[in-house]
């Protein structure tokens, strides 16, 4: 890798494909944030990825920090994952019957998260979170849920209330189409506001308190010391279940996820992204006595034609096998270097900026910091973010096209890639500060 910034080839071919896409898909996309509404301009169309790099339809190469929004912890198209999927594929792509790989992946998860005594695989994080809500309501006999502003738990009706991710990027109000009667059952308060949680939990019988243990979908926001332990205490005192939505944080913020990082054990956990290694896999799980309430051992119904799909299980297994503690620790070192490098660049340029990371998940705001709530995230300089985003893209660095999304790292982002990224982002930030892309 040289440290010469490759000339940007433009995106005429991407634009032509997006023109066709817009005739077929709302906004030309199959998931809203991809449409670049958060930054303006035309998305690039991806054609290939390998390691730390993604290529677009015009031949531009980008050092990629989107990484499919988190799953690609070993980088794009790692040989071990490709081989595992190809091997599995030879035996058939789907059975709709039990397979051994499902047990192996559940074992691999439980080895790192022992509190996931039993799990159920689904195909998306949305399904996992939705099923947890149903289970929590069934187990407690209560209807209300408490979530936090800016946290995203997929797009099930119960969670499209003050949600993060694309909902936050687009600045949408709570979604039309969600019945009022249902939306009323989802209470929200500011992240890190333990007093508000305490007040609500003592007033309203809650089935569950759900959170992203480190927020990624409202921008990168960390819990303050004691926040998560406080939620555990309040849940226990009031009879609510504590749910970690680790679809994003799982196997990123620590080798064993949030329970390892914060020393707090949830009752139920949602997983996704990394556990599928880029194929559609998610899961929910937790205490055996709770999970036994799921059909067929219990009455709480939840199912999926492609759940536990053998290709997806193979990709997840290969990813978990590749993500040893040593590999994880190595990614964290590179993430720390990148984040510190960005802080140094911003400090040199005198730009209000705060950046942080938890394991291999990271993020930044053009804001003095600290950012503890989604409301504070919204006070960041989004106009400057947009310029920086486009300046980075022109210089071959792919960041999430929204000021309210986390960024990721992979084992393919070594010291050379990080050094090259900092070189490019230094130029990008200088350009942005001067009002240029
Ligand atoms: C991505 C995400 C989801 C939704 O997962 P999908 O697979 O996109 O449905 C839920 N919760 C969190 C925390 C996420 O980051």
């Amino acid at each position: 890798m040289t440290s010469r910034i490759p000339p940007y080839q433009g995106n005429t071919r991407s634009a032509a494909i997006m023109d066709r896409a817009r005739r077929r898909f709302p906004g030309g996309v199959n998931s809203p944030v991809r449409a670049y509404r958060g930054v303006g301009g035309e998305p690039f169309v991806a054609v290939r990825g390998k390691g730390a790099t993604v290529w677009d339809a015009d031949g531009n190469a980008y050092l990629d920090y989107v990484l499919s929004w988190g799953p690609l912890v070993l980088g794009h198209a790692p040989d071990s994952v490709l081989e595992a999927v190809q091997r599995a594929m030879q035996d058939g792509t789907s059975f709709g019957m039990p397979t051994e790989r499902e047990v192996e992946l559940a074992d691999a998860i439980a080895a790192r998260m022992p509190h996931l005594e039993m799990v159920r695989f689904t195909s998306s994080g949305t399904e996992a979170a939705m099923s947890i809500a149903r289970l929590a309501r069934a187990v407690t006999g209560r209807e209300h849920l408490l979530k936090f502003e800016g946290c995203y738990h997929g797009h099930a009706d119960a969670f499209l209330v003050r949600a993060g991710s694309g909902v936050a990027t687009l600045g949408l109000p709570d979604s039309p189409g969600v019945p009022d009667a249902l939306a009323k059952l989802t209470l929200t308060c500011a992240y890190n506001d333990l007093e508000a949680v305490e007040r609500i939990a003592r007033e309203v019988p809650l089935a569950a308190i759900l959170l992203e243990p480190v927020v990624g979908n409202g921008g990168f926001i960390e819990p303050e010391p004691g926040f998560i332990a406080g939620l555990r205490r309040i849940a226990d005192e009031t009879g609510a279940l504590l749910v970690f939505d680790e679809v994003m944080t799982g196997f990123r913020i620590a080798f064993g996820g949030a329970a390892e990082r914060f020393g707090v054990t949830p009752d139920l956990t949602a997983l996704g992204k990394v556990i599928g290694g880029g194929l559609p896999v998610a899961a929910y799980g937790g205490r055996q006595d709770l999970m036994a309430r799921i059909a067929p051992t219990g009455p709480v119904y939840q199912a999926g034609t492609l759940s536990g799909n053998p290709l997806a299980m193979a990709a997840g297994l290969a990813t978990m096998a590749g993500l040893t503690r040593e590999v994880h620790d190595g990614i964290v070192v590179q993430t720390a270097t990148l984040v510190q490098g960005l802080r140094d660049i911003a400090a040199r340029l005198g730009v209000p900026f705060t950046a942080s990371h938890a394991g291999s998940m990271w993020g930044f705001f053009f804001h003095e910091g600290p950012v503890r709530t989604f409301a504070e995230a919204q006070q960041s300089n989004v106009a400057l973010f947009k310029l920086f985003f486009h300046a980075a893209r022109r210089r071959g660095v792919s960041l999430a096209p929204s000021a309210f999304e986390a960024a990721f790292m992979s084992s393919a982002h070594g010291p050379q890639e990080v050094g090259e990224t900092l070189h490019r982002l230094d130029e990008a930030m200088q350009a942005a500060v001067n009002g240029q892309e």
Side-chain angles (χ1 to χ4, degrees):
M1 182 161 293
T2 67
S3 74
R4 195 178 59 83
I5 296 177
Y8 177 59
Q9 307 288 331
N11 270 126
T12 45
R13 203 170 137 59
S14 283
I17 296 170
M18 286 308 298
D19 275 341
R20 285 165 56 205
R22 271 185 290 269
R23 274 177 240 140
R24 289 295 177 202
F25 313 122
V29 293
N30 286 295
S31 199
V33 185
R34 298 178 195 169
Y36 275 35
R37 294 287 161 91
V39 290
E42 189 80 295
F44 67 76
V45 171
V47 292
R48 197 167 83 80
K50 191 69 187 174
T53 304
V54 64
W55 285 268
D56 71 19
D58 296 276
N60 297 300
Y62 306 86
L63 289 162
D64 187 18
Y65 294 90
V66 181
L67 293 170
S68 189
W69 303 91
L72 306 182
V73 73
L74 304 180
H76 286 273
D79 292 341
S80 65
V81 173
L82 297 187
E83 282 159 20
V85 172
Q86 275 156 5
R87 230 178 298 121
M89 191 165 67
Q90 302 306 314
D91 294 329
T93 57
S94 183
F95 302 104
M97 292 175 191
T99 64
E100 189 172 8
R101 283 194 185 88
E102 296 169 288
V103 188
E104 288 172 356
L105 185 54
D107 284 348
I109 290 168
R112 296 170 197 210
M113 294 184 173
H115 55 290
L116 268 74
E117 295 168 354
M118 291 189 106
V119 305
R120 169 65 59 82
F121 286 114
T122 63
S123 299
S124 70
T126 292
E127 284 173 86
M130 179 185 82
S131 308
I132 282 182
R134 185 179 302 138
L135 177 59
R137 284 168 163 159
V139 165
T140 59
R142 300 170 171 191
E143 294 193 326
H144 286 86
L145 305 170
L146 179 65
K147 73 178 281 288
F148 296 93
E149 288 157 19
C151 280
Y152 180 68
H153 304 295
H155 63 85
D157 282 355
F159 299 120
L160 286 182
V161 179
R162 306 216 171 173
S165 191
V167 187
T169 298
L170 298 170
L172 295 176
D174 300 344
S175 182
V178 176
D180 256 1
L182 195 59
K184 280 201 183 84
L185 297 177
T186 302
L187 308 175
T188 63
C189 61
Y191 201 77
N192 277 319
D193 188 348
L194 206 52
E195 277 172 32
V197 175
E198 184 117 40
R199 200 163 55 241
I200 293 168
R202 297 205 184 281
E203 228 164 76
V204 184
L206 297 173
I209 301 170
L210 303 98
L211 80 159
E212 292 181 63
V214 171
V215 184
N217 289 289
F220 180 88
I221 303 172
E222 288 177 279
E224 300 207 287
F227 178 60
I228 291 181
L231 295 179
R232 179 70 275 177
R233 174 183 58 76
I234 294 168
D236 288 342
E237 288 173 6
T238 60
L241 297 179
L242 180 64
V243 178
F244 286 176
D245 182 347
E246 290 223 69
V247 172
M248 185 180 284
T249 57
F251 308 111
R252 281 206 170 268
I253 61 172
F255 181 73
E260 178 182 308
R261 186 177 179 96
F262 300 113
V264 173
T265 305
D267 299 299
L268 292 167
T269 299
L271 289 171
K273 300 194 170 115
V274 164
I275 64 163
L279 271 82
V281 184
Y284 64 100
R287 274 166 41 203
Q288 191 271 340
D289 64 304
L290 299 177
M291 291 302 292
R293 302 288 289 274
I294 298 290
T297 45
V300 182
Y301 197 72
Q302 185 270 317
T305 303
L306 294 175
S307 296
N309 173 270
L311 306 192
M313 294 292 108
L317 271 168
T319 299
M320 296 292 280
L323 186 63
T324 60
R325 195 175 275 278
E326 205 184 344
V327 168
H328 170 81
D329 291 347
I331 308 174
V332 178
V333 169
Q334 296 309 321
T335 313
T337 305
L338 180 64
V339 164
Q340 187 55 48
L342 281 173
R343 287 185 194 130
D344 293 344
I345 292 166
R348 204 190 70 232
L349 296 174
V351 186
F353 186 81
T354 179
S356 189
H357 76 105
S360 64
M361 183 178 155
W362 61 281
F364 62 89
F365 292 105
F366 287 104
H367 183 294
E368 295 288 350
V371 171
R372 292 155 304 194
T373 65
F374 184 55
E376 286 173 351
Q378 286 174 306
Q379 286 157 16
S380 67
N381 188 340
V382 176
L384 186 55
F385 173 84
K386 291 179 185 178
L387 284 170
F388 180 59
F389 167 85
H390 286 291
R393 172 185 163 169
R394 291 185 74 88
R395 288 162 181 80
V397 178
S398 165
L399 301 171
S402 164
F404 306 110
E405 294 283 356
F408 301 96
M409 282 285 278
S410 83
S411 57
H413 292 68
Q416 264 193 311
E417 285 79 7
V418 168
E420 182 60 37
T421 300
L422 286 171
H423 171 68
R424 295 179 186 186
L425 291 184
D426 193 332
E427 286 207 1
M429 208 180 294
Q430 289 180 50
V433 167
N434 292 321
Q436 290 156 5
E437 289 187 355

